[in-house]
Amino acid sequence: MMSDLVLLLPAVIGHGYLWAAYFNHTHSTPQPRWLMDASTAGGFACAVSIPVALGMGLVRGELDLVGPASAIVWLGRVYVVAAWIAGVVATVRWGWLHLLRRPPDVLRHDRTRPARGESPAPSDHHVVRGSPDPAPQGECPARSDHHFLTRLPGNDILRLEIAERAVEVARLPEALDRLTIVHLSDLHFTGRVRKSYFQEVVRQSNELEPDLVAITGDVTDFPEYADWVPDTLGRLTSRHGAYFILGNHDARSRPDRIRRALTDSGLVDLGGRWLETEIDGEPVILAGNELPWIPPAADLEHAPPHSPDGGPLRIALAHSPDQLRWARAHDVDLLLAGHTHGAQPRNADLGPILSASRLGVAYSSGTFHVPPTIMHVSRGISATFPLRFRCPPELVKLVLRTALPPKA
């Protein structure tokens, strides 16, 4: 029995990996809310009950891993073998992601700071604060004025971070060197985090004085909170406009109403289309992809192609990083995405575990370079339930740089 237990223990890693993959795939697939909830509950039940059943079988001597067996025991053996294989894959993948993977060579710098206005109390470090009602300065409410879950120890939901990331874009025209983009994603207006928090996010965005603002979906979970848009996202400022697409939560919450609220507030809808604009004398293609929840993606087949000297720059907004393959196929220079919430909660040693992506946790947050496309995945601004652990929300300013000449 002890030998069986030793053989079974490594399969626990694979068991966790298999069910994490199940959850990741489920939450990256379009389906009705009731089916999503049922799939999540069923998966959780299986993830808990299977190791309990296997463990009880070993203790009772009913699950001998060798020798004659009943059909149910054979099924258990097959699962253990599959979990073993998954455990090997998971270990190799973890080693690559956490030990061997390095920041992409196109990332010039990555600087993060807490949002200004944080509480000086050690227990509230980085927490944006203010009065219950929006103050003239646009401050946020105190933690006690939000949903009670925001007060849980270790909850990072209000610990907004401001990040600046500079990336080299190979085909960036010289005139667009230092072009800045504020990337916002996954705001999740639900009322559980008060409106003045999002007004503070907008104020901080405006302080960054971006050239463009890009919003990559999940603005609200309930259609009535589309009424928050004019007082929040409607106040965004930038030199060349604010652009948006919708996400899976928007798609389940009367997307027509949310889309109309955003466009009526002066933001530009890129959902399923592309447009050409001019920035500092250079043409720029902006495109949107709301797949797999709201088809179609922008048809870039008829967009102006890249010229031999580089331009026009192609920037695409997608809610999910799963659209990286689409972006590469359409020669996109920069893809902005969200949806994964940074794969929170994160484990201090294991890193990200659950990420709502068919690609798993490989692209859960940060900057990635898969030529010809650079992809930036935001951790997001909030969440449906006001819970974030070891993964604070972020407001990101991207600075596009022309490529440095090769070293002699």
Side-chain angles (χ1 to χ4, degrees):
M1 176 182 166
M2 182 58 69
S3 62
D4 288 347
L5 190 60
V6 171
L7 285 171
L8 186 62
L9 284 176
V12 171
I13 297 173
H15 170 76
Y17 181 77
L18 287 172
W19 288 100
Y22 169 83
F23 285 113
N24 293 341
H25 189 275
T26 298
H27 287 265
S28 65
T29 305
Q31 52 187 292
R33 187 187 294 268
W34 69 267
L35 183 56
M36 174 72 71
D37 293 341
S39 300
T40 301
F44 180 78
C46 290
V48 173
S49 62
I50 288 175
V52 171
L54 291 176
M56 291 178 63
L58 278 176
V59 170
R60 294 174 180 174
E62 299 171 354
L63 185 61
D64 187 358
L65 296 181
V66 295
S70 64
I72 190 68
V73 172
W74 269 110
L75 186 61
R77 290 178 178 177
V78 170
Y79 185 82
V80 170
V81 171
W84 256 94
I85 296 172
V88 172
V89 173
T91 302
V92 172
R93 189 174 175 83
W94 182 89
W96 175 69
L97 287 175
H98 300 282
L99 301 178
L100 300 178
R101 196 181 206 182
R102 296 291 180 265
D105 54 0
V106 297
L107 185 63
R108 285 227 196 146
H109 69 249
D110 186 348
R111 305 175 185 132
T112 301
R113 62 172 174 82
R116 284 187 290 276
E118 66 273 16
S119 167
S123 61
D124 286 337
H125 182 56
H126 297 186
V127 178
V128 220
R129 58 172 182 156
S131 59
D133 295 315
Q137 296 83 7
E139 292 183 338
C140 288
R143 183 182 283 268
S144 60
D145 296 310
H146 298 287
H147 192 277
F148 76 92
L149 288 175
T150 66
R151 300 191 289 277
L152 289 177
N155 189 0
D156 291 332
I157 191 67
L158 301 179
R159 300 174 188 270
L160 180 68
E161 293 184 345
I162 311 295
E164 180 181 297
R165 299 180 177 124
V167 292
E168 291 183 10
V169 181
R171 295 176 293 201
L172 186 71
E174 288 285 346
L176 298 182
D177 187 38
R178 299 184 186 275
L179 180 76
T180 59
I181 303 171
V182 160
H183 183 191
L184 302 172
S185 194
D186 298 273
L187 294 103
H188 291 284
F189 294 168
T190 63
R192 298 177 182 120
V193 172
R194 291 174 59 90
K195 179 168 70 172
S196 43
Y197 168 80
F198 301 102
Q199 290 176 319
E200 173 66 5
V201 170
V202 169
R203 186 183 72 82
Q204 300 259 4
S205 172
N206 293 343
E207 280 193 354
L208 297 175
E209 299 181 341
D211 296 310
L212 296 169
V213 174
I215 301 169
T216 51
D218 279 0
V219 174
T220 178
D221 292 60
F222 306 107
E224 58 269 28
Y225 287 100
D227 295 341
W228 281 17
V229 168
D231 291 336
T232 55
L233 301 178
R235 296 182 179 179
L236 286 166
T237 59
S238 61
R239 289 178 58 213
H240 298 284
Y243 300 83
F244 74 91
I245 59 165
L246 301 184
N248 57 308
H249 286 256
D250 303 309
R252 297 196 295 251
S253 306
R254 288 191 57 188
D256 54 337
R257 179 173 176 178
I258 300 167
R259 209 181 293 275
R260 184 169 61 251
L262 289 162
T263 55
D264 287 350
S265 297
L267 287 81
V268 181
D269 182 10
L270 288 178
R273 70 189 190 105
W274 65 270
L275 58 84
E276 183 175 357
T277 188
E278 186 175 288
I279 299 176
D280 296 333
E282 291 287 345
V284 175
I285 305 299
L286 300 170
N289 180 333
E290 298 169 331
L291 294 176
W293 299 280
I294 307 176
D299 182 7
L300 288 170
E301 295 295 334
H302 301 97
H306 283 102
S307 62
D309 57 352
L313 178 68
R314 289 189 174 195
I315 301 174
L317 280 57
H319 184 56
S320 170
D322 289 349
Q323 300 307 314
L324 175 59
R325 178 179 296 180
W326 168 87
R328 296 180 66 206
H330 290 84
D331 211 18
V332 169
D333 296 292
L334 177 65
L335 175 66
L336 306 177
H339 183 56
T340 62
H341 293 205
Q344 70 95 20
R346 287 174 175 254
N347 181 281
D349 299 313
L350 299 179
I353 298 172
L354 297 176
S355 178
S357 167
R358 296 181 182 181
L359 303 173
V361 300
Y363 301 106
S364 58
S365 67
T367 307
F368 309 93
H369 186 209
V370 188
T373 302
I374 297 170
M375 177 169 69
H376 181 263
V377 183
S378 168
R379 296 199 304 263
I381 295 296
S382 190
T384 299
F385 293 98
L387 296 170
R388 277 181 173 266
F389 295 98
R390 297 184 179 274
C391 191
E394 66 175 357
L395 169 65
V396 180
K397 177 182 179 181
L398 293 172
V399 183
L400 308 192
R401 302 301 311 273
T402 54
L404 294 172
K407 294 181 180 180

